[in-house]
Amino acid sequence: LAKTTQPISMDSYEGQEVNITCSHNNIATNDYITWYQQFPSQGPRFIIQGYKTKVTNEVASLFIPADRKSSTLSLPRVSLSDTAVYYCLVVRWEGSQGNLIFGKGTKLSVKP
Amino acid sequence: DADVTQTPRNRITKTGKRIMLECSQTKGHDRMYWYRQDPGLGLRLIYYSFDVKDINKGEISDGYSVSRQAQAKFSLSLESAIPNQTALYFCATSDSPSYNEQFFGPGTRLTVL
């Protein structure tokens, strides 16, 4: 099973770009990399998913190198409302057996 | 109205009591999940269901049971609650398995005294 390792916490200021890196050394060929955001007392919210290279949507970019052993979530120009916990998941489905493991996540604090 | 709802939102109970947490969804998704979250930790998967006839154990299923009454309803039961089951419980749904986007409910805060 591909476990993930992320920094426990990060600090940033409004307007800065924030990059959160996740390590997943044991990632397998069929695994996807997914990121979620969670605000206090709320359920997690899907941000972005990728398999390789770069994926971009309206809120973030995800960079995945060729060896796929790590990934970086990039949040452009953060605001105070981006203060949350960010989870990196490596998701694998094999038939009816699923493996979704949320690690402890990275607590991002955005300051004015 | 919210797409994924959970009832109750908060519950305090005593050790040994039977508790049922309910989840309903209007998204039309086949897949539903139950997670628990402990303070300072990520979410851990308890059970998941791909359709009404398919139930699968997750990472921490001991002490829990589930029922998929319909496509839209997935219930989690604690047959005999114990204090270390005090946690925040989330229900989630998803559609396409290859995309892995899950939609979470607002959570149920359960306290077992």
Side-chain angles (χ1 to χ4, degrees):
Chain A
L1 300 179
K3 291 192 175 181
T4 60
T5 303
Q6 310 172 230
I8 293 175
S9 63
M10 295 181 68
D11 292 332
S12 182
Y13 291 93
E14 283 190 292
Q16 290 187 332
E17 178 185 75
V18 172
N19 296 307
I20 306 174
T21 297
C22 178
S23 170
H24 28 79
N25 292 320
N26 296 325
I27 193 168
T29 302
N30 295 332
D31 295 346
Y32 283 78
I33 299 155
T34 307
W35 286 79
Y36 280 78
Q37 174 192 56
Q38 186 180 27
F39 297 112
S41 298
Q42 295 186 23
R45 183 175 71 99
F46 175 90
I47 301 174
I48 197 166
Q49 175 176 272
Y51 183 79
K52 60 181 179 181
T53 63
K54 177 184 176 181
V55 179
T56 297
N57 62 21
E58 62 277 8
V59 297
S61 295
L62 179 59
F63 299 92
I64 305 168
D67 66 5
R68 303 200 329 124
K69 294 184 182 298
S70 66
S71 60
T72 299
L73 175 72
S74 181
L75 305 172
R77 298 180 300 281
V78 294
S79 64
L80 296 176
S81 63
D82 292 317
T83 294
V85 177
Y86 292 83
Y87 295 98
C88 165
L89 287 77
V90 173
V91 186
R92 178 185 308 169
W93 292 100
E94 297 173 330
S96 63
Q97 296 299 315
N99 171 33
L100 297 92
I101 298 180
F102 284 76
K104 295 183 180 181
T106 298
K107 186 175 182 179
L108 173 65
S109 298
V110 180
K111 303 174 182 178
Chain B
D1 289 338
D3 294 321
V4 183
T5 57
Q6 294 183 232
T7 56
R9 293 294 312 279
N10 289 282
R11 182 70 183 267
I12 299 174
T13 190
K14 295 182 178 180
T15 297
K17 293 291 186 181
R18 184 178 187 275
I19 293 295
M20 178 180 286
L21 309 183
E22 298 186 343
C23 177
S24 295
Q25 54 112 348
T26 58
K27 299 188 74 66
H29 290 168
D30 288 327
R31 300 184 173 213
M32 298 187 73
Y33 313 81
W34 275 105
Y35 294 89
R36 69 174 277 176
Q37 184 172 36
D38 296 281
L41 300 179
L43 281 75
R44 292 183 289 171
L45 183 63
I46 307 173
Y47 271 96
Y48 60 101
S49 169
F50 283 10
D51 62 39
V52 294
K53 298 179 181 180
D54 181 88
I55 302 291
N56 303 282
K57 292 182 177 180
E59 182 186 0
I60 53 163
S61 60
D62 288 347
Y64 301 95
S65 62
V66 291
S67 173
R68 185 78 183 269
Q69 302 94 325
Q71 186 202 38
K73 296 184 182 297
F74 193 35
S75 300
L76 176 71
S77 294
L78 288 68
E79 296 300 327
S80 179
I82 56 177
N84 75 1
Q85 291 177 313
T86 293
L88 188 56
Y89 290 85
F90 289 104
C91 173
T93 74
S94 71
D95 191 4
S96 168
S98 65
Y99 199 64
N100 296 315
E101 179 175 1
Q102 295 189 11
F103 297 84
F104 284 79
T108 294
R109 187 169 298 279
L110 177 65
T111 302
V112 183
L113 302 176

